[in-house]
Amino acid sequence: MILAHIATSSTHALAMLLQAAPGGDAPAVGFSPVQLWGNMGNLARAVVIILFIMSIWSLAVIIDRALYFSAARKQSREFAPKVAGALKEGRLDEAIKVADRSKKSHLAEVVTAGLTEFRSFGSGGAITTEQIESSQRALERTESIVHAKLKKGLGGLATIGSTAPFIGLFGTVVGILNAFQQIATQKTSGIGAVAGGISEALVTTAFGLLVAIPAVMTFNYFTNKVEAFDVEMDNSSSELVDYFIKQSHR
């Protein structure tokens, strides 16, 4: 609602400017990036610089999460059947070694914590309830840690996606104010008198949307990925606890 209201107000203001300047002999205004930058005031330039930094930050998070999630998915697919085979044959140490070799796998990190805690009680004796419960707590703790690692940077991505349009609209307001000021000071009737301010306003709005739209889309995509990883970790933890319980009954 706020964005719609501001956008509507900006459109009305631009329409008023165009009506107030039906034509004239004002100098031509260029619309290349360099010329647009030259037409901007200091405040509008600050807005563009802030949006540029946000775009770089957003791009860095997107690339980092994409690579991290891709590696986690690939290593987990290789890890799951290997560790399942080792546990089925009762080779606990081999299962831990397999998990250690999959450093980027979210499943391996959780399973390693459970197996290591289970083994810390020693081997050869009877498996106690305390041993199983301690392993289950280790699994839950590690799940929380891995979940936080998976979500790293996504909060910043959400902030950029939600604030970039407002920052761009702030630049729009500044551009329109500058356009009014140019009309008042130059007293020219041509569109060139306000073209600089209008272009300044449009550039910051477009830049803000250009930064926000990919950030929002990728945030939603990565959030769905994290939820899928959480389900996989929950299932693996549950299966491992069931394995410990079955071993205790033998």
Side-chain angles (χ1 to χ4, degrees), residues 11 17 19 57 69 75-76 83 152 160 171 201 232 240 244:
T11 303
L17 288 173
Q19 289 173 359
W57 191 327
F69 288 176
Q75 291 195 5
S76 293
V83 76
K152 182 182 177 183
I160 290 172
E232 292 176 356
L240 192 58
F244 293 151

Side-chain angles (χ1 to χ4, degrees), residues 26-37:
V29 176
F31 292 94
S32 69
V34 175
Q35 290 169 322
L36 288 172
W37 176 263

